Amino acid sequence: MSRPYQGYRALLVHAHPDDETINNGATMAMYAALGADLTLVTCTRGEEGEVLVPELAHFAAHETDQLGEHRVVELAEAMKALGISDHRFLGDDKIKFRDSGMMGTEPNNRPDCFWQADLDSAANLLVKIIHEVKPHILITYDEIGGYGHPDHIQAHRVAMRAAELATDWQISKIYWNATPKSVLAQGIAAMKEVGSSFFGAENVDDLPFAKADELVTAAVDANNYVDAKMAAMAAHATQIELDGPFFALSNQLGLQVWGHEFYSLVKGVAHEPFNSDGRETDLFAGIVL
């Protein structure tokens, strides 16, 4: 297989296991298959997540508190499905950041949670990785973390601060995950047709992660790699229900709905090729090795 992206490098910074697959799974699988080197940094192990599999409910934080360990295994399986060999957690032998839980909950106050982490200390851990892998592009969340989860907000802050502090390597382009309102509106309408809902949303304005179309500057068509993304989503079994809204939406709109992923360019210059909506179609476009 041709590997035209050999030598290109990307760093993705996410809050919990499964965030990377939902947001960027098809993009990751495509670029990895085409030869690019991708590094995933996950900031927590998702210890406070809701367990959607009844037989694994005892892993929850309020039970045996083993969910984080289990999600490490799920992440490894998901990365196999996407073809990603370099995935790691933020921290070192002495530092491990715990899932902070949803905003306004008690886990936010734990001194070891990611939300309570000192920004520059956490960012400097990521700086070490930036200096090691020398990414051309960085992908993370927007300033509200997509939907306001404290770990997502903190991941954004840490990623952006690390990019500033990494004086030995300048990242050429930085992208934030984004989903256009028009795309989400299509999904909501499709779910309503079968008497279901998309995360309970009546309209697109009910979804905090819906981004105005004009703010979405890049669209990656990785539909040829959607099967890898769906396999990775299935690997995150405690967090994504096979009969939940993600897979139900696939049944309504076809699997290609998950093969198109969107971004906002916040550092660097957009470069051709552009699609009919004027969006970049290649995140590495314009980067010279």
Side-chain angles (χ1 to χ4, degrees), residues 248-275:
L249 188 61
S250 302
N251 293 334
Q252 287 306 109
L253 296 177
L255 287 177
Q256 68 271 15
V257 67
W258 298 118
H260 293 82
E261 295 171 341
F262 300 89
Y263 303 89
S264 295
L265 179 67
V266 296
K267 179 191 174 183
V269 179
H271 198 281
E272 60 182 359
F274 300 101
N275 65 14

Side-chain angles (χ1 to χ4, degrees), residues 74-146:
E74 290 183 338
L75 180 62
E77 289 301 311
M79 292 306 95
K80 283 182 184 177
L82 297 181
I84 306 300
S85 58
D86 186 8
H87 55 94
R88 42 181 108 177
F89 288 94
L90 186 66
D92 53 31
D93 292 339
K94 297 180 180 179
I95 300 173
K96 184 171 91 169
F97 300 107
R98 186 180 172 91
D99 184 349
S100 308
M102 298 300 289
M103 190 69 81
T105 62
E106 186 57 34
N108 296 173
N109 301 317
R110 287 183 57 139
D112 60 343
C113 80
F114 191 45
W115 184 238
Q116 295 293 338
D118 176 76
L119 177 59
D120 277 6
S121 296
N124 274 307
L125 293 168
L126 188 59
V127 167
K128 293 178 182 178
I129 297 173
I130 291 173
H131 287 162
E132 175 194 342
V133 303
K134 296 178 171 56
H136 298 106
I137 65 174
L138 167 66
I139 298 172
T140 190
Y141 311 103
D142 64 12
E143 68 277 15
I144 64 165

Side-chain angles (χ1 to χ4, degrees), residues 20-90:
E20 79 298 321
T21 297
I22 294 168
N23 287 282
N24 315 118
T27 300
M28 294 170 74
M30 181 185 76
Y31 281 125
L34 295 176
D37 294 316
L38 279 75
T39 298
L40 169 67
V41 174
T42 308
C43 298
T44 81
R45 289 156 179 78
E47 295 92 340
E48 297 293 335
E50 180 182 2
V51 182
L52 301 178
V53 180
E55 56 268 30
L56 300 178
H58 60 282
F59 284 160
H62 63 279
E63 296 284 349
T64 62
D65 197 17
Q66 295 178 307
L67 181 58
E69 299 170 27
H70 186 79
R71 293 184 73 177
V72 169
V73 176
E74 290 183 338
L75 180 62
E77 289 301 311
M79 292 306 95
K80 283 182 184 177
L82 297 181
I84 306 300
S85 58
D86 186 8
H87 55 94
R88 42 181 108 177
F89 288 94
L90 186 66

Side-chain angles (χ1 to χ4, degrees), residues 182-238:
S182 59
V183 171
L184 289 167
Q186 183 185 10
I188 292 171
M191 296 298 283
K192 282 183 176 180
E193 286 182 7
V194 293
S196 186
S197 70
F198 187 67
F199 297 103
E202 281 297 314
N203 59 67
V204 72
D205 292 323
D206 293 335
L207 297 171
F209 49 86
K211 189 74 71 175
D213 280 39
E214 62 269 20
L215 298 178
V216 182
T217 65
V220 174
D221 180 353
N223 196 46
N224 289 339
Y225 300 88
V226 72
D227 287 345
K229 177 171 180 171
M230 300 308 283
M233 288 174 70
H236 289 294
T238 62

